[in-house]
Amino acid sequence: MITFDAIGTVVRDMPATLAFYRALGLEIPSAADAAPHVEAVLVGGMRLMWDTEETVRSFDPDYEREEGQSHALAARCDSPAEVDATVGRLAGLGHRVVREPWDAAWGQRYATVQDPDGYSVDLYAAL
């Protein structure tokens, strides 16, 4: 049986992307802004990884970014108030809010924001 231990995304602008995820609370050293590949180990051991387009082209010369996406990341917040505060902080930093916080029928405070590459990040907390 395989074990999934990482989620990788391809980014256009590493410093902008890492600033977004720092604003979400990940501890990523500022020196990583210049790196072609960056990883952050999340609680539980899962890794979130970012590669520049140039890095991907180094092993896949025909790589072209396709618009749209087939996945979203989800981050659990400690409270509904934290969902609201996180969305407000990211919006204040100029990041796109796809869906303002709302109380979802399934019992969570929910919102969706986008990182600089258009990847959705859902923020949620139990009501």
Side-chain angles (χ1 to χ4, degrees):
M1 188 146 127
I2 63 171
T3 301
F4 291 96
D5 72 340
I7 299 168
T9 61
V10 180
V11 303
R12 291 183 180 122
D13 182 336
M14 188 68 81
T17 296
L18 297 181
F20 174 87
Y21 287 95
R22 285 183 191 110
L24 277 174
L26 293 183
E27 293 183 20
I28 305 167
S30 59
D33 288 358
H37 173 86
V38 178
E39 296 184 13
V41 178
L42 309 175
V43 174
M46 178 72 74
R47 292 173 298 132
L48 190 52
M49 304 182 306
W50 303 273
D51 287 294
T52 63
E53 291 178 337
E54 294 77 21
T55 298
V56 174
R57 285 191 191 103
S58 74
F59 58 83
D60 181 1
D62 297 325
Y63 171 80
E64 292 294 330
R65 176 181 291 277
E66 293 183 28
E67 292 304 314
Q69 63 182 37
S70 61
H71 71 279
L73 303 174
R76 183 179 62 240
C77 297
D78 289 332
S79 68
E82 186 179 9
V83 171
D84 295 353
T86 302
V87 170
R89 184 174 69 254
L90 292 171
L93 292 170
H95 297 291
R96 181 168 182 253
V97 177
V98 176
R99 178 118 191 225
E100 292 287 342
W102 84 97
D103 293 339
W106 54 86
Q108 294 175 328
R109 184 76 170 159
Y110 219 87
T112 303
V113 295
Q114 272 186 349
D115 78 4
D117 289 285
Y119 293 107
S120 292
V121 177
D122 296 335
L123 304 169
Y124 67 93
L127 288 172

